[in-house]
Amino acid sequence: MSFGSPVDTSPVASPYKTGPVSLSAPDLPTAKAPQRYAAAATSPRRDAWPRHLAALGFFLLLGVLATWPLALHALTSVPGFDSPSTRAGMADQDQALWAHWWLRETLFNQHTDLLRTDLLYWPYYRQGLSLILYDMQLLRTAIALPVQIILGLAAAYNFGIFLSFTLGGYGMFLLGRDRGLSCPASLFAGVVFVAGPYHLMQLLLETSLVAVEALPFAVLWTRRALAGERRSAIVLAALCIVWANLSSWYFGLYVLLALFVLAVGLAWRRRAGGWRQIRSIFARALFIGGLYGILYLPVLVPVLAEVLNAPPASRLFPFSASIRGASTPWFRLFLNDRNPITQPPIWLGSAFLGYTTIALAVWGTIRRWRRALPWLILFFVYLNLAMGPDLHGFGNVITINGQPVPLPYGLLLGLPGMNLIRAPGHANVMILLCVGMLAGLGLDALARLMRFPNSQATRTVPALLASTAILLSLAEYLVLPLPLYELHWPAAFQQIGQDNATYGILELPITLHASNDHHRMFNQIAHHKGIAGGYLPRPIPDPYRLPDSPFARFTQPYTTTDVLAQDESQATDALLQLYDFRYLAIYHDRKDYRVDDSPWSWPYPTQPLEDPEITVYPARQAALDHTYLYLGNSWSIPERDGNGARRWLNGDSGYMLAWSPGEQGQLALDLELAPSAPAVSLQLSLDDRSILSFGIETLSPTHHMSTPPIELTRGWHRFKLYTLTPATPSALGTSHAIAIRLARWDKSQ
């Protein structure tokens, strides 16, 4: 069987008829008739519409079974779990639910750019934070938008899940029929693809990868277009690749790889037809790729621009350790592991193929090896991709002279942009597609061995075998019941959401952002206000933890009250008002937030909005009639001794932020040098303009200094304290060498 022929060339017995039938493929090469290469590919078998309708219904029911009891709670719950110790089981669900909500919010309420928002990392991105690299799943959310409007957010989310089972399985059914499989074998191939552990695991892990339905359609039309069918096949192939790319850019890459492999395989199979036939195949491949590029260009150009302009600190390009950790060792294909730690149990690894599927795939490869060859080649291509850069043995990386044995993927990492693929193991989805087709061949081969001449029982053998194989596979694959999370939001946030004004809610603890803020984004669906963070797959530098951020008093507990001579409550009120935070929210559950030393409580002097999950304080209006000081995150948390509190400089530069209504005054500082530190010369600058130079000697460790009179305009100003001799070993190069004892602003009379 070739890459381009839909059926076998030898006379075979149909599993649906008692007598043999001759199946021909005019696109196969023969020495006597090379001109037959130019003929159109054999049309695939056509099934009556009731059979297609039955296939769609079958895979919808399969989706209901595989996700049980989701169908009973589809209007209120989504797959996931929120345990008392972690909300990691809702990380990607929170992100996907936010994407659904944001599409509706921006279209019907805010009327703003869909791919920009000012509600994350409030208020640092009032001009809009780009969402181009955020996994908005635009196709999925757009299709489900009517469902969201009519039935709600949970229904829209679950609509995408059931659609992935229905269309993904049906696409495999069509692909199987196109490649000559019987209806029962094609149904079984679909079951392997959509009920395999990879697809099921994405329901609980990376939910953007649930939408696998485009992949079999893309492979189907790509093969048809390359085989020489009508020109519309080229258009459909390009559209299906775009569809896959809009589902996940991983999937688009996998189909483009299939396009290349199928083109090479078909050209090799038709090599006897000469250069003209080979050129025709590659021309069609180029047409498909070119049309895909044109159709996808409006999305590709801004994405590339975002990638090229990304700062090094954005972590856009993952470390090699991250890529290795997200690879799939080959032996995981045969391990039926379950994780007893996470309850209810879920798959430890999503690469397991199923013993029933493996046995049928091996049998199909042996018995029908010509027809199995294309899928076998694709299987090993995607397996090499999924295994990542290193060769594994049974649990360990195989090394030579201490160095891992490299796989082809290791060479690919040297190509531009390949290190964007942080999870090679996602290629498991294509491994399941190939193995599903191989298992379908094995099922049909087994049915032919069990046929009974001149017996009506022959008609039922394929269906009985397929039913048995499906039941055995589902017993291996399914983990029921699927854990569900009922969507609910704190009553306090729902109450705030009734206010249509735009402002921010400062939520404590302030996390290290990135993956810790998915719960904050989920709650944003209820209150519609800005939050101090965001769960972005490609994190940005955290503005709240920058050295010159005035929010050190919130990222470190009570960092400014002991060393700043000003009213603590007024300074807090002023900061919240200046950044337009009208509420201060305290989360009760600590769970798995990586918060460093951020406080879990705050004694804010207003009557809170009580809620079982959070405490929400309305912010007070501040008197913005004098200058306020805020230490940045470049200073340590306070240390206390008999002389009061001090805060050490954590590096070679320390920042102090000042907000002024516009007045003249002096900044006074009490600084301390560590006993073991050498004398040092320091400089103080205001808004990058030097205003004072002075020194601290070892014999006089405590130093009081005041600036000359300074005229501050209305707004924010930045004081920076740093060494004048950075080229020499200085006290400022070491943590805990220079400390601040007191800082105050003296207004001129």
Side-chain angles (χ1 to χ4, degrees), residues 297-485:
L297 201 61
V299 177
L300 186 61
V301 169
V303 168
L304 289 178
E306 194 90 1
V307 170
L308 294 175
N309 294 327
S314 66
R315 295 180 14 216
L316 180 65
F317 297 93
F319 299 110
S320 58
S322 175
I323 294 175
R324 285 177 162 85
S327 302
T328 300
W330 63 269
F331 55 86
R332 283 286 174 196
L333 302 178
F334 312 103
L335 294 182
N336 188 7
D337 287 345
R338 300 188 183 188
N339 189 346
I341 298 175
T342 305
Q343 296 296 332
I346 59 174
W347 297 109
L348 179 63
S350 59
F352 177 58
L353 299 178
Y355 302 124
T356 302
T357 302
I358 293 172
L360 288 172
V362 171
W363 179 254
T365 301
I366 294 173
R367 296 290 297 181
R368 314 301 298 174
W369 70 268
R370 289 184 180 274
R371 299 175 62 187
L373 185 59
W375 307 111
L376 199 61
I377 292 174
L378 283 173
F379 168 83
F380 282 108
V381 167
Y382 291 117
L383 179 60
N384 272 278
L385 191 63
M387 288 192 299
D390 304 323
L391 178 63
H392 285 74
F394 289 94
N396 299 312
V397 176
I398 298 177
T399 61
I400 297 179
N401 297 327
Q403 297 297 318
V405 176
L407 293 175
Y409 190 88
L411 302 176
L412 294 177
L413 284 177
L415 300 178
M418 280 300 297
N419 56 346
L420 279 169
I421 305 177
R422 66 174 62 209
H426 289 324
N428 289 331
V429 66
M430 298 302 292
I431 292 177
L432 274 173
L433 185 149
C434 297
V435 172
M437 293 298 295
L438 291 172
L441 286 172
L443 196 64
D444 276 345
L446 189 60
R448 292 188 184 98
L449 284 180
M450 299 179 64
R451 69 180 185 270
F452 303 96
N454 302 319
S455 173
Q456 292 297 321
T458 301
R459 295 177 178 270
T460 63
V461 167
L464 290 175
L465 287 176
S467 299
T468 303
I470 289 172
L471 291 175
L472 290 174
S473 296
L474 293 180
E476 297 180 67
Y477 292 158
L478 299 186
V479 179
L480 299 175
L482 186 73
L484 301 180
Y485 175 78

Side-chain angles (χ1 to χ4, degrees), residues 54-70:
L56 287 167
F58 171 81
F59 288 110
L60 176 59
L61 291 176
L62 176 64
V64 171
L65 171 63
T67 61
W68 190 261
L70 179 60

Side-chain angles (χ1 to χ4, degrees), residues 706-737:
S706 295
T707 66
I710 301 171
E711 185 73 35
L712 296 180
T713 59
R714 181 178 179 84
W716 285 98
H717 300 273
R718 185 177 71 167
F719 291 96
K720 178 182 178 183
L721 183 68
Y722 58 98
T723 179
L724 281 173
T725 55
T728 62
S730 70
L732 292 183
T734 306
S735 180
H736 290 197

Side-chain angles (χ1 to χ4, degrees), residues 120-121 124-125 129-130 306 311 313-316 512-514 533-534 536-543:
L120 302 180
Y121 291 94
Y124 284 96
Y125 292 93
L129 174 65
S130 173
E306 194 90 1
S314 66
R315 295 180 14 216
L316 180 65
L512 301 185
H513 296 322
L536 303 177
R538 303 296 189 264
I540 65 172
D542 187 351

